[in-house]
Amino acid sequence: MRYVMLPTVWEESVCDLQAAGHERVDDLHDADFLLYTGYWDEFPELPPNIKFVQTAFAGLDALVAGGQLDPSVRWANAAGWYADSVAESTLALLLAVYHGHKYAGQQASFSAAEKLQDATRFLFHDKTVVILGAGGIGERLIEMLAPFNARVIAVNHSGRPVAGAADTVALGGDAGELRTRVWAQADVLVNLLPLTDATRGIVGAELLAQLKGGCVVVNTGRGGTIDTDALVDALESGHLGGAGLDVTDPEPLPDGHRLWELPNVVVTPHTANTVPNMKRVTGKFTAENARLFAEGKKMATEVDVAAQY
């Protein structure tokens, strides 16, 4: 098949696609599909010859907001492609919060040890980790958590059991059951939800209040799924024990924002996955989706346009 790669050509992906028999062209009007590698403010108008769009990112929320998620075109995202890197970064954020790395760095003094003697927590001390939006990244994170012997509760839309989790609960289930069976048990809440109309602001003041006191919130999903003001309030009140955030709302997080200053909050600038890692795997996964498309099958990461992910 012929494809266009916009707005940036990744040579690693070109080589992988060429090895799979696909030809890169320069004009959208000459292509069968588009491999999109950029941010959504540069997304082009699609001519009718484009049969499907493959994005190098998992989230399509900006296209949804802009009304550009054309239902007449088939779409595939990068869901699960970067599970290793995002899961590893999620664990790193959690451990950094638990071990007080931000506080120690802010003190720039060995005297930080006195407070950290009492403040440091350990994941292997009978902790319960709730993974909200437990898909491919969640499954990989569960594997990485296994040596810590933490108890994992998976929460997803379907309630489909997740490998390695002690329990799996449907997000749309009974509110009382979620409160007692999930939120009140959480020593750690990991948010991996995509941003859709249904998930925007879902982790708000009401849900945060139901979490166990001292719970640490880690967000490597989408910033807009957490109400930032409610999160800051819960942190400053002492109800939450800390937060590790790779994504925020707003993003970029402005200089001087309260989250930057809180000693128990670690913020990274949306680098749980990196472009070099994306370039490493995008070509081969795109080639697999193109093969499935050509065979008249559902692509491995095909997007349900109605569900927005």
Side-chain angles (χ1 to χ4, degrees):
M1 299 177 73
R2 294 175 299 177
Y3 71 95
V4 165
M5 191 182 305
L6 295 173
T8 305
V9 175
W10 293 349
E11 292 301 334
E12 298 92 332
S13 299
V14 171
C15 290
D16 288 336
L17 285 165
Q18 183 177 354
H22 301 287
E23 176 188 358
R24 186 174 74 85
V25 296
D26 294 323
D27 193 330
L28 265 175
H29 294 84
D30 296 330
D32 298 305
F33 70 91
L34 166 64
L35 171 53
Y36 194 69
T37 59
Y39 294 103
W40 300 121
D41 56 357
E42 303 175 88
F43 194 77
E45 184 175 348
L46 298 175
N49 52 285
I50 295 295
K51 299 179 177 66
F52 76 90
V53 177
Q54 172 68 65
T55 82
F57 298 88
L60 298 174
D61 42 279
L63 282 186
V64 173
Q68 297 168 281
L69 194 63
D70 185 350
S72 68
V73 178
R74 290 171 64 181
W75 299 78
N77 64 9
W81 291 5
Y82 317 123
D84 287 346
S85 58
V86 177
E88 180 177 314
S89 297
T90 301
L91 183 57
L93 283 167
L94 170 57
L95 293 176
V97 174
Y98 259 25
H99 289 264
H101 292 173
K102 169 80 169 286
Y103 173 78
Q106 286 180 325
Q107 300 310 300
S109 166
F110 201 83
S111 64
E114 183 175 355
K115 179 175 180 177
L116 291 178
Q117 288 289 335
D118 296 321
T120 297
R121 286 163 286 178
F122 296 96
L123 184 55
F124 61 86
H125 283 180
D126 301 319
K127 295 298 191 292
T128 294
V129 178
V130 173
I131 301 178
L132 178 57
I137 296 171
E139 291 178 355
R140 188 69 181 98
L141 177 60
I142 290 171
E143 294 174 354
M144 293 184 181
L145 287 169
F148 295 93
N149 294 316
R151 176 173 179 262
V152 176
I153 301 174
V155 181
N156 55 29
H157 287 289
S158 65
R160 173 189 60 82
V162 175
D167 196 6
T168 303
V169 181
L171 180 57
D174 179 75
E177 181 184 30
L178 280 165
R179 181 172 57 253
T180 58
R181 184 175 163 191
V182 180
W183 313 133
Q185 307 300 318
D187 295 295
V188 178
L189 175 66
V190 173
N191 176 46
L192 297 172
L193 286 170
L195 182 60
T196 68
D197 292 341
T199 64
R200 187 177 298 277
I202 194 170
V203 182
E206 182 178 359
L207 191 156
L208 292 170
Q210 296 176 43
L211 296 173
K212 180 191 289 188
C215 180
V216 169
V217 173
V218 180
N219 190 11
T220 46
R222 285 292 179 266
T225 58
I226 292 183
D227 181 329
T228 300
D229 289 339
L231 177 66
V232 172
D233 289 344
L235 287 162
E236 292 186 334
S237 73
H239 174 60
L240 293 181
L245 309 171
D246 185 59
V247 290
T248 57
D249 184 24
E251 189 173 304
L253 188 66
D255 294 349
H257 194 280
R258 287 184 291 172
L259 287 170
W260 289 117
E261 302 303 321
L262 292 173
N264 59 345
V265 176
V266 177
V267 181
T268 50
H270 207 145
T271 51
N273 185 50
T274 62
V275 172
N277 189 59
M278 294 165 69
K279 291 178 178 180
R280 183 179 63 86
V281 301
T282 291
K284 64 179 181 180
F285 283 126
T286 299
E288 174 62 10
N289 273 343
R291 181 188 68 81
L292 292 168
F293 180 90
E295 293 176 357
K297 299 176 181 177
K298 181 180 179 180
M299 292 178 285
T301 59
E302 187 154 347
V303 171
D304 181 335
V305 174
Q308 303 174 7
Y309 65 91

